[in-house]
Amino acid sequence: MTTPATIHFREIDLDAVAPFMGRVAVLVPANGALSPTARRVDRLTRGALARAVASDAFAALKPGDALDLAFPVGLKADTLHVVRLEAKPSVAEARRAGGTLGRVKGTAALLVLGGAQRQIADVSLGLALRDYAFTAHKTAVEKPRGEVTFMVSAPEAVAASAGPMAAIAEGVFFTRDLVNEPANILTTDDFAARLAAMQELGLDVEILEEGDLKALGMGALLGVGQGSDAPTKVVVMQWHGGTPGAAPFALVGKGVTFDTGGISIKPAGGMEDMTMDMGGAATVAGVMRTLTMRKAKANVVGLVGLVENMPSGSAQRPGDVVKSMKGDTIEVINTDAEGRLLLADVLWYAQTRFNPTGVINLATLTGAIIVALGHENTGVFSNNDALCNAFLKAAATEGEGAWRMPMGDAYDAKLKSRIADMMNVGGRDGGAIIAAQFLQRFIKPDMPWCHLDIAGTALLKSDTDLAPKGATGWGVRALDRLIRDICEG
Ligand code: BES
Ligand code: MN
Ligand code: ZN
């Protein structure tokens, strides 16, 4: 598994600046006010720092961006990053400044100077998140990454607030690794084993096998996996950090390790991206890892359905009727609308077994949500304004795009089947909403619930401020913050 960079916080030592080998970064506000460490850098470089800060190029920088000076005179360092960061930056700006430093690849050590003490932990998280690289299948020997040191006036205090942030980086990396992993390696067995390994951290992990799922009556989930040699599983992760015995909050994830579409097979072009169709399950797993590592004072249960959607002689056919655990029958018109079949059973199981205070499910559910929102926002569907608004607020603070979508009976009516209780599709138009209506049929009437369609946000073809191209880990930070806000507050 990919581990975040090693980050140290140490006491200010002005004599250590000149001889530092590697990269030096100075955080400077737009008004040019230099901290004592920055003033030392300015004296050593014979005013180069002050001139850089006074330049038009610096004035044109967005908060969190940097001007780079190569081989600065007076320093042993190869590069001096002059980072624009206001004295009271927003969380997003502080993370962005870290992201600017984390984007630079190489083995050079990094020394970071200046900046508002209260935001240094956020800078360190941004740095760690952007520094991620998925190298598991590169055979060239990996060179060790340079260590990172922040020089601050109160290292213990900064380190204490950076602790929970390190847990966040670990959770995000866990999610990204799972999403980036190809499907021949991340089988349902392998996925379950990686989750079971979290028991060592203190998380309670339980694996339900096909026999158990059959006994529970999960015909909708089992139908999806019947064409694959990989065994279908449900993994239940419980974190008991809150009041003993109090009802938990539930997170439920779609974990389709590969989605060929089944007999309703997908076109070849781009099908390789369907290795990411377990993104919902990966996000649930990443949040559980973060909660466990930072010992969250909350009871949270994470449930994931793990299954592979393949065409074969034993695969489910279009037109098949399956019976869900809830008892409702479903006519499978399109075997490529498999995520909702999986979620129908895992959502029902989560509610009946745990009677949670609320449920949030995550799924790379529809191409239609990408048509609607592109890759900038996750589609949020909910039956409960309070829970939905709390989530949207947490996502906004974390800078994770999320946009609420409508729901309604007219959409639900499209699911009417001639021969069963419902069909699994209801036409192309409004497809993401109809999928949400399908899920809502498996939510108990008064259960606060949100469905997050992350098909457009789980994996990106280009870099962002806080992630290289590929898996983003979207939602780990927002959900961790939501749990903090609504369960620990
Ligand atoms: N896993 C896909 C959705 C998806 C598409 C995720 C693109 C990520 C990127 C899902 O299982 C699917 O195939 N949905 C169908 C539903 C349709 C058959 C109603 C779709 O969106 O085309
Ligand atoms: Mn599909
Ligand atoms: Zn799918």
Side-chain angles (χ1 to χ4, degrees):
M1 119 146 234
T2 312
T3 49
T6 314
I7 297 180
H8 307 281
F9 302 98
R10 55 174 287 199
E11 206 98 24
I12 291 177
D13 173 7
L14 293 180
D15 293 336
V17 176
F20 187 84
M21 314 265 278
R23 308 190 275 138
V24 171
V26 215
L27 307 174
V28 187
N31 67 11
L34 298 183
S35 66
T37 45
R39 276 205 298 279
R40 168 59 65 105
V41 170
D42 189 49
R43 271 197 302 280
L44 289 168
T45 60
R46 295 199 234 130
L49 177 61
R51 273 185 288 143
V53 170
S55 71
D56 289 347
F58 187 80
L61 292 179
K62 281 199 283 173
D65 277 348
L67 268 187
D68 291 349
L69 310 186
F71 305 106
V73 74
L75 301 184
K76 275 269 184 332
D78 291 346
T79 311
L80 177 61
H81 303 287
V82 187
V83 184
R84 176 174 165 193
L85 190 65
E86 303 316 311
K88 284 189 181 144
S90 67
V91 168
E93 285 171 359
R95 302 256 177 100
R96 227 173 144 259
T100 298
L101 299 172
R103 181 183 296 125
V104 182
K105 295 295 157 220
T107 56
L110 172 66
L111 178 67
V112 187
L113 308 171
Q117 297 292 301
R118 282 179 49 240
Q119 305 298 348
I120 291 295
D122 282 308
V123 176
S124 77
L125 176 59
L127 196 159
L129 290 174
R130 186 60 184 77
D131 177 60
Y132 175 86
F134 185 65
T135 55
H137 306 295
K138 297 279 194 189
T139 54
V141 198
E142 230 183 297
K143 298 207 184 97
R145 282 171 302 163
E147 294 200 350
V148 180
T149 306
F150 285 84
M151 251 187 206
V152 293
S153 50
E156 277 88 34
V158 177
S161 44
M165 308 248 184
I168 292 172
E170 289 265 358
V172 172
F173 279 28
F174 193 63
T175 300
R176 288 179 183 171
D177 278 356
L178 289 167
V179 171
N180 282 326
E181 200 70 90
N184 62 325
I185 292 170
L186 192 75
T187 57
T188 56
D189 281 319
D190 184 65
F191 200 142
R194 293 187 193 204
L195 301 184
M198 286 202 281
Q199 286 179 119
E200 284 159 31
L201 302 174
L203 186 67
D204 177 9
V205 184
E206 188 186 335
I207 301 174
L208 307 184
E209 304 289 353
E210 278 181 6
D212 306 314
L213 306 179
K214 201 166 282 170
L216 286 162
M218 293 198 188
L221 166 62
L222 286 166
V224 175
Q226 75 187 31
S228 169
D229 291 340
T232 298
K233 295 167 194 274
V234 169
V235 181
V236 182
M237 295 163 271
Q238 296 184 64
W239 171 248
H240 306 281
T243 313
F249 193 84
L251 301 173
V252 174
K254 167 181 173 181
V256 176
T257 58
F258 196 77
D259 182 13
T260 63
I263 296 298
S264 312
I265 199 161
K266 288 180 181 295
M271 201 203 272
E272 68 278 6
D273 286 345
M274 285 303 119
T275 54
M276 56 76 96
D277 210 20
M278 27 54 68
T283 310
V284 170
V287 176
M288 296 310 293
R289 192 177 187 94
T290 294
L291 296 175
T292 304
M293 294 197 70
R294 71 171 180 81
K295 304 215 179 323
K297 291 189 171 44
N299 294 336
V300 181
V301 54
L303 300 99
V304 296
L306 304 179
V307 64
E308 187 181 38
N309 189 19
M310 294 288 268
S312 78
S314 61
Q316 166 160 272
R317 292 153 289 257
D320 282 4
V321 172
V322 295
K323 193 177 196 119
S324 65
M325 180 185 172
K326 182 186 174 194
D328 292 357
T329 57
I330 305 162
E331 186 185 7
V332 180
I333 299 294
N334 190 322
T335 64
D336 197 11
E338 83 297 340
R340 61 197 76 179
L341 297 170
L342 171 172
L343 288 170
D345 280 341
V346 184
L347 282 168
W348 193 253
Y349 179 70
Q351 295 166 90
T352 50
R353 175 166 168 194
F354 294 103
N355 191 25
T357 55
V359 187
I360 294 185
N361 75 259
L362 294 99
T364 48
L365 202 63
T366 68
I369 199 66
I370 309 177
V371 175
L373 299 176
H375 298 278
E376 331 301 325
N377 283 286
T378 285
V380 182
F381 302 82
S382 183
N383 62 356
N384 184 292
D385 290 347
L387 178 62
C388 187
N389 290 336
F391 177 77
L392 292 172
K393 184 167 158 257
T397 307
E398 288 298 330
E400 297 191 303
W403 192 260
R404 189 169 184 179
M405 300 284 291
M407 297 189 71
D409 292 344
Y411 297 103
D412 188 78
K414 311 270 185 202
L415 293 166
K416 198 172 164 59
S417 161
R418 181 176 59 85
I419 64 166
D421 296 335
M422 72 194 85
M423 304 192 295
N424 73 330
V425 294
R428 240 178 105 248
D429 297 348
I433 308 173
I434 296 168
Q437 294 293 158
F438 182 95
L439 298 183
Q440 193 175 18
R441 287 173 174 239
F442 297 89
I443 297 297
K444 292 190 167 184
D446 293 319
M447 179 61 63
W449 162 73
C450 285
H451 153 51
L452 308 178
D453 192 338
I454 58 171
T457 48
L459 185 86
L460 296 178
K461 301 278 184 209
S462 47
D463 295 356
T464 64
D465 289 345
L466 297 181
K469 61 165 98 42
T472 58
W474 185 98
V476 173
R477 284 147 45 209
L479 288 166
D480 177 64
R481 186 174 286 273
L482 177 76
I483 297 296
R484 224 180 263 267
D485 290 349
I486 68 174
C487 302
E488 299 175 81

